[in-house]
Amino acid sequence: MTLYCNGRVASADDLAGALTNYGHFTSLQVRNGAVQGLGLHLQRLQEGTVELFGTALDPLQVRAWMHDALQAEGAVDASLRVTVFSRQFDFRRPLRPVAVDVLVAVAPPVDLPAIARRLRTVRYQRELPHVKHVGTFALFQHRREALLAGVDDALFVGDDGLVSEGTTWNIAFASGDTLIWPQAPALRGTQERLLQAGWGGDQQVRPVALADLTGFDAAIACNAAGIWPIAVIDGGLLANSEALCAKARQVLGAVAWQPLGA
């Protein structure tokens, strides 16, 4: 992995500011120099920067830095993580206006296989769930605990009993021909939005209670690295998840890729 800060190779001084652990990011896959949902990723970065720093972020500049990082690495396929933080941020004076910095990490491409996962539900909700912030400790710990318990990952349920999201992914359920997206405080992912826009069939966005899970016959999880079927939740089987996943992959396969270069 190579790191670039504000368009140049990151130095130790650049990275010191990231140790404050205050910032936000987006992760995306690049194929042949292009990205699916590029506008959604840039919008996420803009909105997060306003909320956390009260500062505007130039999406054209960020896009150029992403493109330049790929060019510098000689890569056309890659995983990118774009993090917005500030070397000037002082947690003792969090309202002081500061300039933000943009860290672009370039790594090998990832395409998660469509292997069915088993989940267990846990009571948890991320802080500022609508922001893809850098506070990821609890997400990784819940995944680790799920693995120790003999399943593959964790599905979050709030104190109100409503299903929200997975550790690093969104979830959708199916009942017959209807696709259901849980309505609850969560990070609205780019893949989720692309699937919703291209689905074409009957779909709903509504609250999904823990007790409702027994009424579904399929479920899929998705993030920027892929889509995969959910085979089991808390021991309950979802027999039609493979077929639902195949349809979701077909829908996403029709989404245009936007070039990073001008």
Side-chain angles (χ1 to χ4, degrees), residues 151-193:
V151 295
D152 301 305
D153 215 330
L155 176 64
F156 298 149
V157 179
D159 289 337
D160 55 5
L162 296 181
V163 173
S164 58
E165 59 187 332
T167 54
T168 57
W169 37 268
N170 295 109
I171 192 167
F173 303 96
S175 179
D177 294 329
T178 302
L179 189 68
I180 298 107
W181 299 91
Q183 186 179 48
L187 179 68
R188 303 273 65 103
T190 58
Q191 299 297 79
E192 176 188 84
R193 292 180 178 181

Side-chain angles (χ1 to χ4, degrees), residues 25 124-127 131-146 153-154 156 165-169 187:
F25 69 101
Y124 180 71
Q125 179 176 293
R126 294 188 309 111
E127 295 178 336
V131 177
K132 194 174 179 71
H133 54 74
V134 296
T136 55
F137 172 85
L139 310 185
F140 302 154
Q141 181 62 16
H142 278 301
R143 176 174 288 165
R144 183 175 184 274
E145 290 175 357
D153 215 330
F156 298 149
E165 59 187 332
T167 54
T168 57
W169 37 268
L187 179 68

Side-chain angles (χ1 to χ4, degrees), residues 95-116:
L95 296 182
R96 180 172 65 90
V98 293
V100 295
D101 301 287
V102 176
L103 193 68
V104 178
V106 184
V110 174
D111 187 8
L112 294 178
I115 298 173

Side-chain angles (χ1 to χ4, degrees), residues 39-92:
L40 295 175
H41 286 285
L42 294 173
Q43 180 184 356
R44 168 186 283 167
L45 293 173
Q46 289 177 280
E47 293 174 350
T49 301
V50 170
E51 180 153 357
L52 297 189
F53 296 100
T55 302
L57 184 71
D58 182 355
L60 294 180
Q61 179 65 83
V62 174
R63 182 174 179 172
W65 282 337
M66 293 161 65
H67 178 258
D68 291 348
L70 282 176
Q71 293 286 98
E73 294 299 301
V76 294
D77 298 340
S79 299
L80 293 185
R81 170 173 164 145
V82 183
T83 304
V84 179
F85 70 106
S86 177
R87 291 171 293 177
Q88 300 176 23
F89 180 77
D90 184 347
F91 69 89
R92 292 168 288 263

